[in-house]
Amino acid sequence: MIPGPFNYHRPATVTDAIKLLSDLGDDARPLAGGHSLVPMMKLRLATPEHLVDLHGIVGLKGIRRDGANIVIGAMTTQHELLASSDIARSLPILQETALLIADPQVRYRGTIGGNVANGDPGNDMPALMMTLGASYHLEGPNGAREIAAADYYQGAYFTAIEPGELLTSISIPLPATGHGYAYEKLKRKVGDYATAAAAVVLTMSGGKVASCTIGLTNLHETPLLAVDAANAVIGTSLDAASLKKAAQAAEAIMSPAADARGPVEYRKHVGGIMVTRALTRAAARAK
Ligand SMILES: Cc1cc2nc3c(=O)[nH]c(=O)nc-3n(C[C@H](O)[C@H](O)[C@H](O)COP(=O)(O)OP(=O)(O)OC[C@H]3O[C@@H](n4cnc5c(N)ncnc54)[C@H](O)[C@@H]3O)c2cc1C
């Protein structure tokens, strides 16, 4: 289908974009890679009267170090994340996750800012950002603010972003040296959203799990941090009993939709399996 009519704006600065979004109000939407928004417009599930294209704002691109954090501009594409040697060295789980998003065409256009700002429970980056303890930098008519990824998601397509605000960058604390990581995603076919997915970042000491964080994708209306599941493995050698406890604790907080990807019980079951696999693979990678 063809989208409804809209006016197109291409500001050159964040200030101009915020002014446009504030002046135009609810009828305006930022346009990043367009790979979530345009399909929604074609289905008439979104009918913005104004699109504020962010591609003209040079300052929204790029990956840089800021002390013990990696800061990624909102308009950095998934492809650029995959091509970055800095990300390969310091945040390999970001590349593992990006590579599981859709296909090369989508990754060339789709941005990390659009992926995390969107609020779609099927997006892969939000649960990862929560697992990594990332925060989002928002700029709006009332100034700038920082919000933890864990506090940003409030419901399906419902987030803490205020009218007129833009997500301008993402700040990710560098994980500990020698950390283990894994993003496990079950999908029906290449290019599909997750039936269930789990992100794990952990450290090992003396053969036991010293620290662990687990995030879940598409198993609730928001991404989830599986805190009890992570606590179930800390201090253990990831033996079969503790892996089972972790999977059960993770399943206990899942409430996926029953949809074409399967009924609720199936999706929770495979969600538990994703947690087990991600824990096992992360531990094997930890040094
Ligand atoms: C066939 C297909 C398969 C896909 N599979 C997956 C998948 O498996 N996993 C996955 O995670 N994603 C998947 N996607 C979605 C893809 O990753 C999108 O690119 C991503 O969700 C949105 O990024 P975007 O840059 O395209 O944003 P857009 O589509 O331009 O925007 C998405 C939403 O975020 C808002 N927005 C964008 N940027 C900002 C900003 N800086 N500040 C505030 N609001 C902003 C927009 O107004 C819009 O509401 C798929 C898409 C397609 C077409």
Side-chain angles (χ1 to χ4, degrees):
M1 259 178 67
I2 298 168
F6 57 86
N7 296 295
Y8 177 81
H9 308 264
R10 193 177 166 100
T13 64
V14 168
T15 309
D16 289 349
I18 291 168
K19 177 148 183 16
L20 275 167
L21 290 169
S22 306
D23 290 351
L24 298 168
D26 281 350
D27 295 331
R29 292 278 280 275
L31 174 71
H35 273 64
S36 287
L37 183 54
V38 174
M40 298 279 271
M41 289 169 64
K42 287 168 89 174
L43 293 168
R44 306 286 168 118
L45 294 171
T47 51
E49 285 179 23
H50 300 271
L51 288 184
V52 178
D53 187 351
L54 305 180
H55 282 93
I57 308 176
V58 180
L60 290 180
K61 278 250 182 206
I63 300 164
R64 64 181 170 86
R65 286 277 181 123
D66 180 13
N69 295 297
I70 291 256
V71 179
I72 305 174
M75 287 299 284
T76 306
T77 63
Q78 310 290 354
H79 171 74
E80 286 162 344
L81 293 177
L82 287 167
S84 161
S85 52
D86 209 8
I87 299 287
R89 255 192 320 274
S90 49
L91 279 169
I93 192 170
L94 198 50
Q95 293 193 333
E96 181 160 293
T97 307
L99 204 51
L100 290 169
I101 292 178
D103 50 47
Q105 269 182 308
V106 174
R107 296 195 292 263
Y108 274 121
R109 295 292 298 174
T111 66
I112 188 161
N115 197 292
V116 302
N118 198 19
D120 181 342
N123 282 144
D124 288 289
M125 287 294 171
L128 176 61
M129 292 303 129
M130 287 167 56
T131 306
L132 289 167
S135 57
Y136 302 156
H137 190 75
L138 303 176
E139 292 186 39
N142 300 318
R145 64 187 175 116
E146 209 72 28
I147 181 166
D151 296 330
Y152 183 79
Y153 302 97
Q154 301 179 343
Y157 298 99
F158 184 52
T159 70
I161 204 160
E162 296 287 344
E165 277 187 325
L166 267 187
L167 191 153
T168 55
S169 65
I170 297 162
S171 182
I172 307 173
L174 289 170
T177 309
H179 72 280
Y181 64 91
Y183 190 73
E184 282 285 344
K185 174 173 174 177
L186 179 73
K187 48 187 174 174
R188 296 171 299 179
K189 60 181 175 62
V190 170
D192 194 18
Y193 289 87
T195 299
V200 167
V201 174
L202 54 68
T203 56
M204 301 289 288
S205 175
K208 298 206 163 154
V209 179
S211 67
C212 179
T213 315
I214 304 174
L216 304 174
T217 296
N218 222 7
L219 290 162
H220 185 70
E221 61 174 335
T222 61
L224 293 173
L225 275 181
V227 178
D228 289 346
N231 287 338
V233 295
I234 291 173
T236 76
S237 57
L238 274 185
D239 53 284
S242 43
L243 280 173
K244 191 172 173 193
K245 266 194 203 160
Q248 284 170 343
E251 284 176 45
I253 61 166
M254 295 173 193
S255 51
D259 60 16
R261 293 182 179 83
V264 171
E265 283 313 312
Y266 167 74
R267 293 185 65 183
K268 287 172 70 166
H269 176 67
V270 292
I273 294 172
M274 292 305 105
V275 168
T276 309
R277 285 186 188 167
L279 282 167
T280 309
R281 212 152 55 78
R285 277 170 164 166
K287 297 191 183 83

